[in-house]
Amino acid sequence: MAPKVLISDKLSPAAVQIFKDRGIDVDFQPDLGKDKEKLLAAIGDYDGLAIRSATKVTEKIIAAADNLKVIGRAGIGVDNVDIPHATARGIIVMNTPFGNAITTAEHAIAMMFSAARQIPAADASTQAGKWEKSRFMGKEITAKTLGLIGCGNIGSIVADRAIGLKMKVVAFDPFLTPERAVVLGVEKVELDELLRRADFLTLHTPLTDKTRNIIDAAAIEKMKPGAFIINCARGGLVDEAAVRAALDEGKLGGAAFDVFVQEPAKENTLFGAPNFVSTPHLGASTSEAQENVALQVAEQMCDFLLEGAVSNALNMPSISAEEAPKLTPFVQLAEQLGSFAGQLTESGIKKVRLEYAGAVADLNTKALTSAALTGVLTPLLQTVNMVSAPVVARERGIEVEEIRREKKGAYETYIRLTLVTEHQERSVAGTVFADGKPRIIQVKGINMEAELGAHMLYVTNEDKPGFIGHLGMELGSAGVNIATFNLGRIAAGQDAICLVEVDGKVPQEVMDRLAAVSHVKQVKSLSF
Ligand SMILES: NC(=O)c1ccc[n+]([C@@H]2O[C@H](COP(=O)([O-])OP(=O)(O)OC[C@H]3O[C@@H](n4cnc5c(N)ncnc54)[C@H](O)[C@@H]3O)[C@@H](O)[C@H]2O)c1
Ligand SMILES: O=C(O)[C@H](O)COP(=O)(O)O
C-alpha cells in the first residue's frame, strides 16, 4: 500500500504534484493544521505530515500519530514541532534549511529600509492625501554599521547584501569562526561591542534559552541613541515591552518586526508605536522560496518513505539515496547484532562498543550505530527505532563507542558489537555476504557462520560426544522442526556455542528439558 501523507499547511501545490508523481497518497488540507481537534482526529491515518509554521505538532498530536514516520517542515524553524516527543516515538523531523534563506534575508533588508525611511507610514499618509513631505525625515544607510546577531545561513546573506550597500557589518555569533568571518567580510565582535557600535541591529538566530530576550531593556540601554532594531528571525528574541518603551522615549529611531512572541499577532504592545514597522511573518513568503521549500520537503519525504534516504533530519543522521541500498543489509546486520546481544543480556548495560572493519567502515556508521542501538534496546523497550535509540541510550547513561579499522582476519568487512554490562563483556560479530544476507560470524570469540531466522535457540555447552544427538532428539520429540543448525567451539572438548533456527517459538517446558540435556550450560530462545 502506498504511504499516506497529509499536508496541513499552505504549501505550494508543487509539493502535491511531487507526492503524486512519486506514487504517494497525498491529502492537501491547507487549513487543517490550524484546527487542533481535526488534526488530532486525522493524524492517525498518515505516514507523513508536511507543514509550515501554522501547524503545531504537539505532544498530544504525536501521541495520536500511530503511523507517523516523518514530519517535513517546508521551511527552517521547527519550534512548532515537539522534537523530543517525535524522537521518543521514532518519528523523523526534517526541514529545508536553505530554501527560503535568500528570501528571508531580502525581507530583513527590506525591513531595514522601511524603518530607515519610514516607508509604511509615509505610504499611508500619502494615500490618505496628506502629502506630509517634511514629516518623514529618514536615515541613510551607506557607511552605517549593521550589527548582526547570528551569522548562519540567513545572517551571512544579510551581511553580503549589507556590504553591497556599503555598510560596515559587525557580527556576534559564538559559533562563527574567525576564518569564516574573514571570508564573509564581517568583523566578529562580542555582544556588548555590537550593541555599542550598531546603527542598525538585525537578529538571525533560533529562539533558544540562550537567545530568548537577548535584546532586553538593558541591551537597548547600551545601544546608540536613534539606533534601529530589525527582527525577522523569531518572536521572543527581543523584549517587546522594552522596545515599545524605547520607541516611545525616542531612544530607538525605529524597529521593524516580522515575528512576534504571540502569533498570529492580532494585537501587540508594539502596534502603534512611533516608527514601528510590522509584517505578519512574511520572511519566507515569496513565490520562489515557497516553491523551493515545498519541492524540497516533498522530495525529502518521498525519498525517506520510499527509499529510506534521510536528509536534513534534525533527529537522525543523513542517509543519501545512493547510500541507502548499500547501507540496508548492514543496517539489518547491525540491528541483528544488537538484538542478539541485547536478548542475551540480563544486567544493566553500561557501554555499547561498535567496531567497523573493512568496507563497512566507509559507510554511514552513525546510521549503523543507531540501528545497532535499536537492536540492543528493543528487547527492553519495544518501541525504540533508529531515530529514538541514540537518545534513549543517552538518557539511560549507556556509553556508545565507535571504532573504525582496516580489515583484519578472514572477512573482507565485518561489524563487531560488544556489550559491556556490570558483570561482563559479550561480543558478537557479523558480516554481509555477496547474497546481501547478514551472517553471524563470531560469538564470544567463537567462530561460526549462522544466518538468523525469526526463531533461534542459543545454546552454550561443553563440546562432548552425544550432545547434538540428544538436543536434536529432545526437539524432535517435542515436534519442533530444526531449520538450520550451526556449531562453533573454542577447541575440541572445550566451550562450544550452538545456534539453531527452529520453525516456531519453543514452548517453555521444552526449553526446560533442553536446559537439562547433559553438557548444556545455557539455553535461550531468541527472536528476530
Ligand atoms: N521570518 C521568517 O519567515 C523566517 C524565515 C526563515 C527563517 N527564519 C528564522 O531565522 C532564524 C535564522 O535562520 P538560519 O537559517 O540563518 O539559521 P542558522 O542555523 O543557519 O543560523 C543561526 C545562527 O545563529 C547562531 N547562534 C546560535 N545561538 C546564538 C547565540 N546565543 N548568540 C548568537 N548567535 C547564535 C548560530 O551559530 C548560527 O550561526 C531562525 O530562527 C529561523 O527560524 C525566519
Ligand atoms: O522558519 C521559517 O522557515 C520561517 O519562519 C517561515 O515560516 P512559514 O513557512 O510559516 O512562513
Side-chain angles (χ1 to χ4, degrees), residues 381-447:
L381 297 166
Q382 306 304 324
T383 55
V384 75
N385 73 3
M386 277 173 74
V387 178
S388 55
V391 179
V392 173
R394 207 176 314 129
E395 280 170 1
R396 297 186 159 229
I398 299 172
E399 189 191 334
V400 180
E401 186 187 8
E402 258 190 34
I403 300 167
R404 292 165 206 231
R405 53 170 103 257
E406 305 265 295
K407 152 197 144 62
K408 206 171 66 180
Y411 293 94
E412 276 306 308
T413 187
Y414 61 88
I415 305 176
R416 175 179 290 111
L417 177 143
T418 306
L419 277 196
V420 182
T421 68
E422 284 150 22
H423 307 300
Q424 60 176 334
E425 281 201 20
R426 177 180 275 122
S427 73
V428 50
T431 191
V432 173
F433 280 7
D435 60 7
K437 288 192 183 154
R439 302 282 202 290
I440 299 292
I441 56 170
Q442 200 181 66
V443 181
K444 292 205 292 188
I446 296 178
N447 293 335

Side-chain angles (χ1 to χ4, degrees), residues 239-290:
D239 179 339
E240 292 172 346
V243 173
R244 172 80 210 212
L247 287 170
D248 285 342
E249 287 161 18
K251 161 79 185 169
L252 287 174
F257 282 24
D258 181 47
V259 286
F260 297 87
V261 172
Q262 198 65 48
E263 291 184 14
K266 298 280 173 66
E267 47 187 42
N268 187 284
T269 180
L270 285 161
F271 292 174
N275 201 19
F276 177 67
V277 178
S278 66
T279 46
H281 203 142
L282 291 184
S285 296
T286 63
S287 46
E288 292 86 350
Q290 282 315 308

Side-chain angles (χ1 to χ4, degrees), residues 4-61:
K4 279 184 83 173
V5 165
L6 170 67
I7 304 178
S8 63
D9 271 339
K10 289 193 170 49
L11 256 68
S12 157
V16 180
Q17 200 52 48
I18 298 275
F19 283 123
K20 281 190 181 155
D21 290 350
R22 295 197 56 183
I24 298 252
D25 191 353
V26 58
D27 274 348
F28 186 27
Q29 300 196 47
D31 290 318
L32 188 76
K34 287 191 204 134
D35 188 328
K36 285 183 209 148
E37 293 311 315
K38 278 196 184 150
L39 180 62
L40 196 64
I43 194 68
D45 288 345
Y46 296 95
D47 302 283
L49 175 67
I51 55 166
R52 284 178 62 189
S53 60
T55 301
K56 310 291 176 218
V57 190
T58 57
E59 180 184 352
K60 204 168 159 193
I61 299 288

Side-chain angles (χ1 to χ4, degrees), residues 211-223:
T211 58
R212 190 178 304 280
N213 285 334
I214 191 166
I215 299 301
D216 58 7
I220 294 170
E221 197 46 47
K222 292 176 187 162
M223 294 179 73

